[in-house]
Every structure is written in structure tokens, then in C-alpha cells.
Amino acid sequence: MSRRCELTGVGPMVGHSVSHSNIKTKRRFLPSLRQTALVSDALGQSFRLKVSNAALRTLDFRGGLDAFLIKADDADLSLRARRLKKQIKDKLAQAAA
């Protein structure tokens, strides 16, 4: 099970734990992820995605899952999120035509 956000691509980072005596040991900083059900307005469905808490705040700011995915870069998205983005774009194109 990968610890990577499906919408932003945020993953584990590496750094040091620094003791009081300034001894440095390697450690991993894991992202704060949660499994959430996100609703797509265009498709009328909910999807369960593993998303970071920061991405949830960004979703609210941008106006929902559809708006976030349309503006998102494909390199950051997971395979499931890219497929979902394509479905949303197709549905919006049908509605516009």
C-alpha cells in the first residue's frame, strides 16, 4: 500500500531526527493521508480516494473534485485519478455540445 496522495502526488520525505546533543539519525516524514469518499458533480457518483489533508483543503478552496481535477497536472495524479479526470472532461464536453 503506497503512502502517496492520489490527487497531489505527495509522498514520504526523508530528513533527520536531531537529538539534544545534535546527533542526526535518518527518518521518514510520512504524509497525512486519509481514505475519503469524494463526490463528482458532473458524474453524480462518489469515489473513494486516498488523499492528503492538505489536498482536501485545496479541494474545498477550488470548488470540489471536478474543478480540482480539471486544473490538475496529469503528472501529479494517480492512474485512477487520471481516468476519473478523463471521464469528467468527456461528460462536460457532452453537456456543452
Side-chain angles (χ1 to χ4, degrees):
M1 179 162 105
S2 73
R3 295 193 174 267
R4 189 161 295 277
C5 176
E6 292 192 67
L7 297 180
T8 58
V10 171
M13 292 187 287
V14 179
H16 289 101
S17 286
V18 181
S19 70
H20 179 67
S21 62
N22 208 24
I23 295 172
K24 296 168 183 74
T25 56
K26 287 271 192 176
R27 63 161 289 187
R28 292 177 76 202
F29 293 92
L30 298 176
S32 177
L33 298 177
R34 68 172 57 186
Q35 186 90 13
T36 59
L38 300 170
V39 178
S40 169
D41 296 329
L43 300 175
Q45 280 183 287
S46 66
F47 299 93
R48 290 188 64 78
L49 296 173
K50 195 186 309 182
V51 181
S52 67
N53 291 336
L56 283 175
R57 294 184 66 199
T58 307
L59 278 171
D60 290 339
F61 178 74
R62 289 200 184 161
L65 180 64
D66 298 341
F68 180 88
L69 284 177
I70 289 172
K71 290 183 181 180
D73 188 21
D74 285 347
D76 294 336
L77 300 175
S78 69
L79 182 62
R80 288 181 59 208
R82 275 181 281 182
R83 288 180 181 156
L84 184 58
K85 179 180 178 177
K86 184 177 180 332
Q87 288 177 354
I88 290 170
K89 278 188 170 181
D90 292 343
K91 190 73 165 185
L92 292 175
Q94 284 178 352

